Amino acid sequence: MAESVSQGEVPVSVSLKSYVRDQVRRNAERFSRPLRIARGYGEYQERRRAANAVSPSASYDVNALQAEGYLRIEPPSALVSELVAASRQKLADVPSLPQSRNKAFFSQLLDASDLALDRPFMRFALDEKLLGTTAHYLGVAPFLESVELLYSKPIEGQPAQSQQWHRDRTDRRIIKVFVYAVDVTPRQGPLSLLSRSDSARVPELLFHYVPDQQMSRYVEPGRTIALTGPAGTTIMTDTQACYHLGSRCQEPRLAYIAYYSSGFGYRPRERSWKVPQDARSGLSPLQRLALGSL
């Protein structure tokens, strides 16, 4: 049964049992990070050394990312154009639009064959400057948690799940890189976020998903940053530091997302990358670590 809760620090209407379970799990998970570091201390130190070896000239402006929590970047135009073309072709070729993770408003289009190292989706995620920037920001060489191509589509009803305000809580710092494969206006449900400083004004003890009405108690709706732009627009953001939402579509949106963490977060790594032995020699130290291969 739903309990009505009126305090500003907790959800307005939510199952009390679910709320308590969410808070206990959220705080308990944080204790797992030092244990993961202890078990993989050699790799963790290698990741720190690799990050320290990255030249400032080999990354984008981390200061802006640290200040605001997000950054528009311009990777090599040829790389972006290839990724956009491959994303559009994948959408054209896919036989059906599977529902992704119980979220009716988008589909994840990539399969195992798309994640081969020579495919545009992986070559973009392993771009050396992108990895260098993420390493500077995280303080360790990043681990590539996932690569997705999300097709968002209009649905009826109120915003749900990641269409609502939320932060990703799987590590102390997280980087997600979004690349729009189509022109994105407000009608395509752009990635929308609150700056780092505005996000810090929101109480910690809230349920994971926060509806607009509740969020407006802490941050004026007019301070929302809607990241629109033409196809090829590329955005780095710390989705742990910044409250964000997306896929509130009136027209479809196609977006590529690469997700990076320290590899020693609050939860186990999302996947284990299989790197052929003959391919390892062609990878840089940052690329090998991104794939979990020393």
Side-chain angles (χ1 to χ4, degrees), residues 28-82:
E29 285 177 342
R30 295 176 179 175
F31 289 101
S32 66
R33 187 173 191 273
L35 296 177
R36 296 186 199 284
I37 292 174
R39 287 197 298 266
Y41 190 69
E43 180 189 344
Y44 182 74
Q45 288 295 89
E46 179 63 25
R47 289 183 178 276
R48 291 185 62 182
R49 288 192 293 269
N52 291 334
V54 175
S55 167
S57 62
S59 72
Y60 298 100
D61 185 2
V62 175
N63 291 327
L65 185 59
Q66 290 171 334
E68 299 296 332
Y70 74 99
L71 177 67
R72 291 179 184 258
I73 61 174
E74 294 186 5
S77 58
L79 186 63
V80 174
S81 295
E82 184 180 30

Side-chain angles (χ1 to χ4, degrees), residues 18 63 74 80 84 88 91 96 114 118 126 128 131 133-134 138 155 159-160 166 173 192 201 219 227 229 261 273:
S18 296
N63 291 327
E74 294 186 5
V80 174
V84 168
R88 292 177 175 179
L91 176 61
S96 63
D114 298 308
D118 60 348
L126 295 175
E128 197 74 6
L131 294 177
T133 306
T134 305
L138 297 179
I155 62 169
H166 65 286
R173 286 187 171 190
S192 299
R201 296 166 57 189
V219 182
L227 294 164
S261 77
W273 298 98

Side-chain angles (χ1 to χ4, degrees), residues 76-243:
S77 58
L79 186 63
V80 174
S81 295
E82 184 180 30
L83 177 63
V84 168
S87 299
R88 292 177 175 179
Q89 189 62 53
K90 183 66 181 181
L91 176 61
D93 293 343
V94 71
S96 63
L97 294 173
Q99 184 173 310
S100 178
R101 294 176 296 191
N102 297 318
K103 296 180 181 181
F105 47 86
F106 66 54
S107 300
Q108 204 293 105
L109 305 184
L110 300 184
D111 57 35
S113 65
D114 298 308
L115 301 181
L117 296 183
D118 60 348
R119 294 283 282 147
F121 307 106
M122 288 299 289
R123 288 197 292 105
F124 186 93
L126 295 175
D127 176 66
E128 197 74 6
K129 191 169 184 178
L130 206 60
L131 294 177
T133 306
T134 305
H136 270 162
Y137 182 76
L138 297 179
V140 296
F143 176 74
L144 179 61
E145 294 278 0
S146 66
V147 175
E148 297 181 307
L149 181 63
L150 299 184
Y151 179 78
S152 302
K153 49 190 180 290
I155 62 169
E156 296 181 356
Q158 295 297 311
Q161 295 174 294
S162 58
Q163 292 179 309
Q164 295 181 312
W165 292 108
H166 65 286
R167 289 164 48 202
D168 299 331
R169 300 176 184 271
T170 56
D171 206 345
R172 293 192 302 179
R173 286 187 171 190
I174 291 169
I175 284 291
K176 288 189 177 180
V177 179
F178 292 74
V179 183
Y180 294 152
V182 295
D183 296 348
V184 173
T185 72
R187 294 187 60 81
Q188 282 78 29
L191 170 66
S192 299
L193 54 79
L194 301 176
S195 69
R196 180 188 299 273
S197 58
D198 280 344
S199 295
R201 296 166 57 189
V202 182
E204 181 68 20
L205 294 176
L206 293 180
F207 206 66
H208 181 64
Y209 292 118
V210 182
D212 291 353
Q213 182 180 7
Q214 189 175 16
M215 182 60 77
S216 68
R217 300 178 186 177
Y218 315 111
V219 182
E220 295 179 4
R223 297 187 65 83
T224 298
I225 302 165
L227 294 164
T228 58
T233 294
T234 305
I235 302 149
M236 299 184 75
T237 183
D238 183 340
T239 56
Q240 190 280 333
C242 295
Y243 270 95

Side-chain angles (χ1 to χ4, degrees), residues 274-291:
K274 304 300 182 184
V275 183
Q277 191 64 40
D278 60 352
R280 296 188 182 189
S281 61
L283 298 174
S284 72
L286 283 180
Q287 290 171 334
R288 289 197 300 272
L289 289 167
L291 298 170

